[in-house]
Amino acid sequence: MKSRNRSGMGLIYATIIMSVMFLFCSLAVDYGRVQLAKTQLRVAADAAALAAAGELKNGITPALNAARTIAAANLSDGTPVALDTNNDVEFGRWDASNHTFTALAGNARSTANSVRVSARRTAARGNAIDLPFSKMFGPNACNVNASAIAVASPVQYAAVGLDFIKMSGNGATDSYSSAGGAVSSNLGSVASNGDINLNGNGAIHGDAHPGVGKAVYGADHVSGSTSPLTQPLVYTVTDLGSIRTINDNPRLTPMSAISGGSLKLTSGQTATFPAGNYYFKDFDTTARSTVNVMGAVTFYCYGDVSMAGQAVTAANLPGNLRIVMVKTPTGGDPGSVKLSGGSALYADLYAPLSPITITGGGDIFGSMVGRSITMSGNGALHYYLSLANSGRVSLVN
């Protein structure tokens, strides 16, 4: 009799142990499967949002097609990610100050500066993530969602000063193309979320658009429209990723030009930069010094940039020299940008958090975005039209 009781208890113990084992399997396998699927959905949503934002300049339909195509090129739990473009892709206005997204509908979508993509694996759509172990004790499947917002920054201006633009002296704006460097007199447009003040003998060969409710002072210096913007301009801060720690600084010659994380060139000194990404605190070139850019180079700086020397850009293409102001390692705003050289500068300057001051006599070929722009020199800003085809898009959540 006792032997039979022991056999019965053994069966109960075995059942309990097996149940616990299944629970552990569910936790290890099903939970891991759900988390992997969620990560894969997030990657798909990120890629689709970036693709759609990059097509905003071409219209809503190309943006929707781009989002659907790129999402489907990604897998979640072994299945291509499918978007319902009527519900999963939203067009809206991104407010960088308040970090908010406001969805738009109908024709208003044409004014969107951002796209939100939601990637879903849900029971309602018949594609929830299957839970093979958990279904023995609980739910058969799990809903998984991920979303991403990408912002497209406009680049159709020669210069953008988000707070204001002040131009005096004899400076001017116009534009040129790579086809022989021919100048077009009406595409050197500028814009601001604040006022635009034009004094002296300078001229805007193009439009000058002040912010909503703001004005252009000195409109007689503008060849094109001076109508205010209907929506604020939004330019996001560049995400550095791993560039703070993994960059091409060791390839610079001479390395002695770097001290304490900053680059400083003295009179007569030349620094040569092979193609790559460089990261500095301050960037200071004095008169009669030379920055020699050998290929496509980007300088990421979080301190102050002061350029009084000469910069030789590969093939004289502004896209080969990008100067990008980024947040400090502790998250603070970067310093200022001061250009005072007497030689031509071929560069694309992106500094939405930095005031830009231009006092030199040398012409600038490219484009610039700053928190503010103050020009008092005699040099002109020639907008490189090819930059208009390289719209910036970035994730903001």
Side-chain angles (χ1 to χ4, degrees):
M1 192 69 175
K2 289 183 180 180
S3 176
R4 292 177 182 174
N5 287 340
R6 290 196 189 102
S7 299
M9 292 301 296
L11 180 60
I12 293 173
Y13 289 147
T15 302
I16 293 173
I17 291 172
M18 290 180 65
S19 299
V20 172
M21 290 177 63
F22 274 116
L23 286 174
F24 277 115
C25 287
S26 174
L27 180 64
V29 178
D30 291 347
Y31 177 79
R33 186 175 187 177
V34 169
Q35 292 305 308
L36 176 59
K38 186 172 184 177
T39 299
Q40 292 170 331
L41 280 183
R42 181 55 191 260
V43 171
D46 286 352
L50 287 169
E55 288 293 330
L56 277 176
K57 60 184 181 293
N58 297 320
I60 298 302
T61 299
L64 288 171
N65 291 338
R68 181 172 50 242
T69 299
I70 295 302
N74 289 268
L75 301 180
S76 175
D77 197 36
T79 302
V81 176
L83 296 181
D84 176 353
T85 53
N86 292 321
N87 298 298
D88 296 341
V89 183
E90 301 170 277
F91 299 87
R93 298 293 305 180
W94 175 256
D95 185 335
S97 300
N98 297 315
H99 211 73
T100 55
F101 175 88
T102 302
L104 302 172
N107 293 333
R109 295 182 300 170
S110 62
T111 66
N113 70 347
S114 55
V115 180
R116 179 166 60 192
V117 172
S118 299
R120 316 174 200 269
R121 295 285 303 267
T122 66
R125 296 189 177 186
N127 63 351
I129 303 302
D130 185 48
L131 304 176
F133 290 98
S134 180
K135 67 176 58 176
M136 300 184 65
F137 304 96
N140 294 329
C142 178
N143 294 335
V144 179
N145 303 276
S147 66
I149 300 173
V151 174
S153 298
V155 292
Q156 66 267 34
Y157 300 111
V160 172
L162 292 173
D163 289 348
F164 63 81
I165 293 177
K166 294 181 180 179
M167 292 180 60
S168 58
N170 298 313
T173 69
D174 54 32
S175 57
Y176 78 105
S177 68
S178 57
V183 172
S184 175
S185 62
N186 61 350
L187 296 176
S189 301
V190 303
S192 175
N193 289 331
D195 292 328
I196 299 176
N197 287 271
L198 307 173
N199 299 297
N201 298 317
I204 301 295
H205 295 292
D207 300 333
H209 295 296
V212 179
K214 302 297 181 177
V216 174
Y217 297 94
D220 56 320
H221 293 264
V222 182
S223 68
S225 171
T226 58
S227 61
L229 299 170
T230 58
Q231 296 284 347
L233 295 170
V234 177
Y235 286 84
T236 58
V237 181
T238 300
D239 183 3
L240 272 179
S242 62
I243 291 177
R244 283 195 177 94
T245 54
I246 303 174
N247 51 59
D248 294 291
N249 286 19
R251 302 179 64 203
L252 159 69
T253 55
M255 279 296 294
S256 59
I258 302 178
S259 178
S262 296
L263 180 134
K264 181 175 178 60
L265 297 183
T266 58
S267 179
Q269 189 175 14
T270 296
T272 300
F273 297 85
N277 297 312
Y278 297 84
Y279 177 69
F280 303 110
K281 179 185 178 185
D282 300 323
F283 191 98
D284 186 3
T285 65
T286 57
R288 292 181 293 280
S289 64
T290 301
V291 171
N292 190 16
V293 174
M294 302 299 292
V297 164
T298 301
F299 296 142
Y300 295 95
C301 304
Y302 65 89
D304 294 318
V305 170
S306 178
M307 297 185 68
Q310 179 183 19
V312 180
T313 304
N316 284 344
L317 293 176
N320 281 338
L321 174 53
R322 296 192 65 223
I323 303 171
V324 181
M325 302 299 287
V326 297
K327 290 276 192 178
T328 68
T330 57
D333 287 352
S336 61
V337 178
K338 297 179 180 179
L339 307 177
S340 58
S343 302
L345 173 64
Y346 293 81
D348 178 20
L349 174 56
Y350 188 72
L353 296 179
S354 299
I356 299 174
T357 303
I358 303 169
T359 58
D363 287 359
I364 300 173
F365 296 80
S367 70
M368 62 179 66
V369 174
R371 171 170 282 177
S372 62
I373 294 178
T374 302
M375 295 180 65
S376 59
N378 296 320
L381 172 59
H382 309 287
Y383 178 41
Y384 184 46
L385 296 177
S386 292
L387 294 175
N389 297 322
S390 58
R392 299 181 179 89
V393 294
S394 55
L395 294 169
V396 291
N397 78 322

